[in-house]
Amino acid sequence: GENVEQHPSTLSVQEGDSAVIKCTYSDSASNYFPWYKQELGKRPQLIIDIRSNVGEKKDQRIAVTLNKTAKHFSLHITETQPEDSAVYFCAASLSGTASKLTFGTGTRLQVTL
Amino acid sequence: NAGVTQTPKFRVLKTGQSMTLLCAQDMNHEYMYWYRQDPGMGLRLIHYSVGEGTTAKGEVPDGYNVSRLKKQNFLLGLESAAPSQTSVYFCASRMTSGAPPRGGSYNEQFFGPGTRLTVL
């Protein structure tokens, strides 16, 4: 089955700096890669996703890049703000398999003033 | 729309007791999922359903059973709870037809608020 590794497990940045979280996946057939944000005590919520036919996707301060050859994808957050503090999860899935998601182990991002 | 809801929010069980967690969604989604979340391990898929009357095993199904008698509900059962089942349980659902919500993604899984279960 699919295996997703995520690094780092914790990340501390100063407000205004950029943050980068990286994930690798094992199944070359995976074609959908979402990122979820989970605030303390809350449910995970999708912040951005990318399909394998696209190399990069951007939404305001958030961007995701995908390297299919190397089987890794990354989340980039620019101009970080205190409200970006949360746990971020990457995931991978294959269309046609009930969209089952395999999640990474999460990155706790702390944005300090 | 309430989205995805879960009942109960918290529960404490003794080893060997049984219970059922209820997930309900009012978005007419076909796919539904049960995950467990443990510290340092992310979310792991327990069981899932691709439609009313269907269920399938996920990554960590042992000790759990599920049922999807109605499209809007997905039940997760623990027949004989064990301390290893202490976790936060999340339900999720996904659309398979129609247009995604404004600003949303067709593939997005919508999560419920979670149930915190402690087995003593």
Side-chain angles (χ1 to χ4, degrees):
Chain A
E2 175 67 275
N3 182 52
V4 177
E5 295 190 355
Q6 182 172 347
H7 300 281
S9 57
T10 60
L11 180 60
S12 182
V13 299
Q14 284 196 322
E15 184 179 6
D17 287 350
S18 296
V20 180
I21 303 170
K22 299 181 179 181
C23 289
T24 60
Y25 60 99
S26 61
D27 189 345
S28 57
S30 289
N31 58 7
Y32 173 65
F33 308 92
W35 287 88
Y36 283 81
K37 175 183 180 182
Q38 185 178 30
E39 297 177 355
L40 188 63
K42 305 285 185 157
R43 71 190 79 190
Q45 292 193 297
L46 181 73
I47 55 171
I48 196 168
D49 58 6
I50 192 169
R51 298 196 66 86
S52 60
N53 58 347
V54 176
E56 183 174 0
K57 184 177 179 181
K58 190 173 182 181
D59 182 4
Q60 299 183 330
R61 296 186 297 108
I62 294 172
V64 57
T65 58
L66 172 65
N67 184 326
K68 287 189 295 182
T69 302
K71 291 190 285 187
H72 68 70
F73 55 113
S74 301
L75 177 71
H76 305 253
I77 306 174
T78 59
E79 301 172 18
T80 54
Q81 301 168 2
E83 51 265 38
D84 293 329
S85 296
V87 178
Y88 293 81
F89 292 96
C90 63
S93 78
L94 173 63
S95 293
T97 59
S99 303
K100 293 180 294 180
L101 291 175
T102 300
F103 283 87
T105 50
T107 296
R108 182 173 300 278
L109 174 64
Q110 180 70 43
V111 180
T112 58
L113 297 173
Chain B
N1 287 352
V4 182
T5 58
Q6 292 183 232
T7 309
K9 289 184 170 55
F10 303 94
R11 185 73 186 269
V12 178
L13 290 178
K14 294 181 179 179
T15 297
Q17 288 185 318
S18 64
M19 77 162 294
T20 300
L21 284 68
L22 171 64
C23 175
Q25 51 93 6
D26 61 0
M27 298 177 283
N28 201 35
H29 288 174
E30 286 291 339
Y31 290 179
M32 295 187 74
Y33 312 84
W34 274 108
Y35 295 90
R36 61 177 288 173
Q37 184 175 36
D38 302 296
M41 300 187 73
L43 292 102
R44 293 181 292 168
L45 183 65
I46 305 171
H47 286 279
Y48 63 99
S49 168
V50 298
E52 181 179 320
T54 74
T55 63
K57 294 180 180 180
E59 181 186 353
V60 288
D62 293 344
Y64 305 95
N65 57 74
V66 287
S67 63
R68 183 105 180 264
L69 299 179
K70 294 182 179 180
K71 185 178 182 178
Q72 63 267 35
N73 295 338
F74 195 27
L75 278 65
L76 178 71
L78 287 74
E79 290 186 348
S80 180
S84 61
Q85 294 177 303
T86 293
S87 187
V88 179
Y89 292 86
F90 285 99
C91 173
S93 70
R94 213 214 89 170
M95 65 188 302
T96 57
S97 62
R102 182 181 296 276
S105 170
Y106 183 79
N107 297 286
E108 180 175 0
Q109 290 190 17
F110 291 86
F111 284 82
T115 295
R116 184 173 296 276
L117 175 66
T118 301
V119 183
L120 302 176

